[in-house]
Amino acid sequence: MKFKKIAALSTAVIMSASMLVGCGNNKSKENTDKSFKIGMVADIGGINDESFNQSAWEGLQKAEKDFGIEVKVIESKQASEYLQNMESLLDEDVDMVIGVGYTMKEDIEKQAKNYPDKQFVLIDETYDSIPENVTPILFRENEAAYLTGLVAGKMTENNNVGFIGGIQTPVISRFEYGYKAGVKEANKDCNVNVQYAGTFSDAAKGKSIANQMYGNGSDIILAAAGGTGLGSIESAKEQNKYAIGVDRDQSDLAPKNVLTSALKKVNVGVYDTVKEFIEGKLKGGQEKVYGLKEDGVGIPETTKNLVPQEIIDYVNSMIEKIKNDEIKVPSNEEEYKSMQK
């Protein structure tokens, strides 16, 4: 079943990374000699957000290089474009559509029903009943944030750190409560200030909130806020304070100020899923979850540039405890409060 476009694509940017010919059979295929076309719809943050979307795009680009597939990405200007952008890719007969972000949940579900012979990937959300041709990819962001909280708790000089969230969602809550739990584990006397910006795409607002937090005594801030969080890193540079990156290793943005980053390896999830699809091993209708055990989250090697080795050793010991299920990192307020009792 295929629908015609309702309107011409006017605001989205379409990038083609190669010019290979697609094939007609769109289910998970075993013949890797065939060409594949994989499309991705980025959310309003865009593929140069230094964060979530960029990581997803990097994973798809690596798959293109390793497997000789054709990849396309459409950057969305607003959420109302998601459905039409998926439709544009499907009109080009892609074999798989990857939707970056929980806000595409309903649109992915709708298109999966409309195109049962295509495969779909939804990043950061899942369904009570997962469609057979959809693969949700989830992450244990709380585990990565916990590690950065351990670093912050040990590195703070004021016993005062901050957290800036984009929009209050289950994903960002996992960052918040994982971070707070890590801080408290490393330093029970440390205060954690929390503020939400209400947006993932306003660097100026992120900078303003960070300026206020630094002015009130916080000396380290983790911002899980997409493009908004870039403003907090800029503030750290200007205030000569410390920031913690998110999703990708963001130390290159401020080498003297980014202590570490809460890595959420969306690139790994995208790459692995595309690889399984090409090899005919992808089982739709099942979610994939990436945590420390799966090497889907963590902190970067660059942490050693600003963090003493004894603190890194301490963090590594806690990583092993998490992997061995000796520590269960909270993912929400209820679990966090229970852990603090």
Side-chain angles (χ1 to χ4, degrees):
M1 180 178 180
K2 197 163 187 176
F3 296 151
K4 294 182 179 179
K5 291 185 183 179
I6 300 171
L9 181 66
S10 58
T11 56
V13 180
I14 304 178
M15 302 178 184
S16 177
S18 59
M19 294 299 292
L20 298 178
V21 179
C23 55
N25 181 10
N26 302 295
K27 294 182 179 180
S28 192
K29 311 165 194 174
E30 298 179 359
N31 187 354
T32 55
D33 291 333
K34 295 181 179 180
S35 299
F36 289 79
K37 296 171 70 174
I38 311 293
M40 186 179 92
V41 177
D43 71 12
I44 58 177
I47 60 169
N48 294 314
D49 63 356
E50 298 284 353
S51 187
F52 186 74
N53 286 277
Q54 187 166 337
S55 181
W57 177 229
E58 288 170 352
L60 191 54
Q61 286 180 304
K62 186 176 188 300
E64 176 206 14
K65 180 180 178 181
D66 289 355
F67 308 125
I69 60 177
E70 178 180 352
V71 303
K72 291 177 178 283
V73 60
I74 299 183
E75 296 184 271
S76 307
K77 301 297 183 184
Q78 52 191 8
S80 60
E81 295 178 358
Y82 296 155
L83 190 67
Q84 179 58 35
N85 290 346
M86 293 175 196
E87 189 76 27
S88 295
L89 290 171
L90 291 160
D91 279 353
E92 295 189 39
D93 202 28
V94 298
D95 301 295
M96 171 184 280
V97 173
I98 300 171
V100 185
Y102 72 95
T103 52
M104 299 190 197
K105 177 178 180 178
E106 292 183 3
D107 292 333
I108 286 284
E109 185 176 32
K110 183 178 295 185
Q111 294 292 33
K113 182 178 180 180
N114 293 340
Y115 295 84
D117 60 337
K118 304 288 187 179
Q119 290 293 319
F120 295 83
V121 175
L122 174 62
I123 298 174
D124 259 3
E125 252 293 5
T126 189
Y127 304 91
D128 293 334
S129 179
I130 304 172
E132 291 185 359
N133 58 333
V134 176
T135 301
I137 299 178
L138 304 172
F139 296 85
R140 296 189 182 95
E141 299 91 349
N142 49 318
E143 293 182 352
Y146 182 81
L147 304 183
T148 67
L150 294 174
V151 172
K154 291 293 187 182
M155 292 290 292
T156 180
E157 296 180 355
N158 298 344
N159 280 347
N160 192 327
V161 301
F163 175 86
I164 299 174
I167 297 174
Q168 205 156 13
T169 66
V171 171
I172 304 304
S173 288
R174 288 196 287 272
F175 275 110
E176 177 189 345
Y177 290 105
Y179 177 66
K180 289 166 72 172
V183 170
K184 291 296 185 180
E185 174 64 32
N187 184 348
K188 295 189 182 299
D189 296 324
C190 187
N191 182 55
V192 184
N193 300 298
V194 177
Q195 186 169 341
Y196 279 78
T199 175
F200 290 109
S201 57
D202 190 342
K205 189 167 186 179
K207 183 176 181 178
S208 176
I209 295 173
N211 283 341
Q212 184 179 35
M213 281 189 174
Y214 287 133
N216 289 335
S218 294
D219 52 5
I220 302 171
I221 295 175
L222 165 63
T228 300
L230 298 180
S232 70
I233 294 177
E234 185 62 29
S235 174
K237 289 170 63 176
E238 294 180 1
Q239 303 291 328
N240 195 28
K241 302 292 185 180
Y242 285 130
I244 294 174
V246 73
D247 293 339
R248 299 171 70 252
D249 179 1
Q250 294 185 317
S251 61
D252 60 313
L253 301 178
K256 296 181 180 180
N257 304 92
V258 176
L259 273 179
T260 185
S261 296
L263 297 184
K264 177 177 176 177
K265 302 178 184 179
V266 184
N267 57 319
V268 172
V270 168
Y271 180 89
D272 287 352
T273 303
V274 171
K275 181 175 185 290
E276 290 177 17
F277 175 59
I278 291 171
E279 294 176 346
K281 299 176 181 178
L282 183 66
K283 297 179 180 179
Q286 299 179 17
E287 63 186 36
K288 301 174 68 175
V289 182
Y290 288 85
L292 282 172
K293 290 181 181 179
E294 298 78 17
D295 192 31
V297 301
I299 57 175
E301 285 290 325
T302 54
T303 301
K304 64 184 180 183
N305 295 342
L306 297 175
V307 177
Q309 186 60 45
E310 59 265 28
I311 295 178
I312 294 176
D313 291 341
Y314 165 68
V315 173
N316 286 336
S317 70
M318 301 300 277
I319 288 175
E320 291 307 309
K321 289 184 179 181
I322 295 171
K323 288 182 176 180
N324 294 331
D325 297 322
E326 295 175 49
I327 296 175
K328 177 176 172 53
V329 180
S331 60
N332 54 47
E333 183 177 15
E334 182 180 357
E335 292 176 358
Y336 173 75
K337 287 182 176 179
S338 176
M339 189 178 190
Q340 297 307 305
K341 291 180 180 179

